[in-house]
Amino acid sequence: MKKYFSIYGIAYFLLLAVVLVLLWVYPKLELHLLLNSYHTRLQDIFFTYYSMLAEGPLYFFALLPVFWKHIKLTIFFALSELTGGAVLQLLKHLISMPRPHSAFENYPDMVLPVVEGVNLHSSNSFPSGHASTFFVFFTCCAIFLAYHHQLSTGQDNHKSWAVFSFSLLLLLSFAALGAYSRVYLSQHFLSDVCMGSVIGFITPCLIFYFGRKSNKVKKWYQNNRMV
């Protein structure tokens, strides 16, 4: 399992390393302006609606396995989202950081990039709940894809391995795109979505790991092959 999921994990940590370097090199507000330096009408529309996936559609997609009698997939997502959400809300209210809309008000010489029609929030910026949800959903997908690949392949096939690797990287790209949408819309700073991604990545991994360690859950996994 570790061998198959490691592609997603390594790619995530490489992406996280790049983000941490940016956070270390650039001041917070300057970095936000840098990441929002180029807007187009098409991008405005795309990121506005793509960001909305974390407000309902991803939960609907997570329910779909129930109709194919794979309720375990939905339960895994639900546990991951509830656990990650609890941690996230605790941090939001303990730290209570201002959002870009509020932070930029103190710097009138700096113009906050905004997207027309987007209602900007002002408080509880850190961490990003949308970023966490995106990473929970796609990390759950990556874990089950890796588990399915482990069960269905007896030997390495270069062609299937290439397709499998590309699929994992595509899932990570979808998650990262969702996280970036929050920066593009000026709803969050990069540090907010970075922490949200960490919560969204770690939570499903921990739940899957400790679930596999539990004898009761282990029997359930064995009796309900994740295919």
Side-chain angles (χ1 to χ4, degrees):
M1 173 64 188
K2 293 179 181 178
K3 171 185 175 183
Y4 300 105
F5 183 71
S6 63
I7 298 170
Y8 183 91
I10 291 172
Y12 170 72
F13 283 113
L14 288 175
L15 178 62
L16 182 62
V18 172
V19 170
L20 291 176
V21 169
L22 289 174
L23 292 173
W24 181 68
V25 171
Y26 292 96
K28 191 174 186 178
L29 300 188
E30 291 182 16
L31 179 57
H32 188 79
L33 293 177
L34 178 65
L35 296 173
N36 277 277
S37 60
Y38 184 71
H39 275 227
T40 66
R41 181 57 182 163
L42 182 61
Q43 287 178 314
D44 290 352
I45 294 172
F46 172 76
F47 283 116
T48 297
Y49 286 101
Y50 192 82
S51 180
M52 290 180 181
L53 289 177
E55 299 173 9
L58 290 184
Y59 296 94
F60 172 75
F61 294 146
L63 283 172
L64 291 180
V66 172
F67 297 101
W68 285 274
K69 298 182 179 180
H70 292 309
I71 190 173
K72 55 193 173 294
L73 305 181
T74 299
I75 291 176
F76 178 51
F77 171 80
L79 288 175
S80 300
E81 179 65 15
L82 288 172
T83 304
V87 173
L88 187 137
Q89 290 300 323
L90 180 64
L91 291 175
K92 267 185 179 291
H93 290 88
L94 283 177
I95 300 175
S96 190
M97 295 288 290
R99 299 213 185 202
H101 178 59
S102 296
F104 273 83
E105 288 181 345
N106 299 321
Y107 300 88
D109 57 322
M110 303 176 75
V111 180
L112 175 68
V114 296
V115 175
E116 184 179 353
V118 174
N119 182 30
L120 296 176
H121 302 292
S122 300
S123 59
N124 295 332
S125 186
F126 182 89
S128 167
H130 282 69
S132 176
T133 296
F134 273 109
F135 270 88
V136 164
F137 180 82
F138 288 109
T139 300
C140 285
C141 291
I143 288 173
F144 277 106
L145 181 61
Y147 191 86
H148 171 77
H149 192 77
Q150 179 188 26
L151 293 178
S152 61
T153 183
Q155 58 183 2
D156 288 336
N157 181 296
H158 293 300
K159 185 176 180 180
S160 64
W161 181 259
V163 173
F164 167 70
S165 301
F166 176 77
S167 299
L168 287 179
L169 295 177
L170 194 61
L171 290 174
L172 180 61
S173 299
F174 290 151
L177 201 60
Y180 172 70
S181 72
R182 304 305 289 168
V183 177
Y184 184 91
L185 298 175
S186 287
Q187 294 284 26
H188 287 283
F189 291 108
L190 183 62
S191 56
D192 305 332
V193 301
C194 177
M195 189 61 191
S197 77
V198 170
I199 294 172
F201 175 83
I202 290 178
T203 306
C205 293
L206 289 177
I207 288 180
F208 185 81
Y209 175 78
F210 287 111
R212 293 289 305 281
K213 289 292 183 180
S214 168
N215 289 330
K216 184 180 293 186
V217 175
K218 188 180 293 185
K219 290 180 180 178
W220 186 41
Y221 273 107
Q222 291 172 349
N223 294 331
N224 298 273
R225 307 285 281 185
M226 297 182 196
V227 295

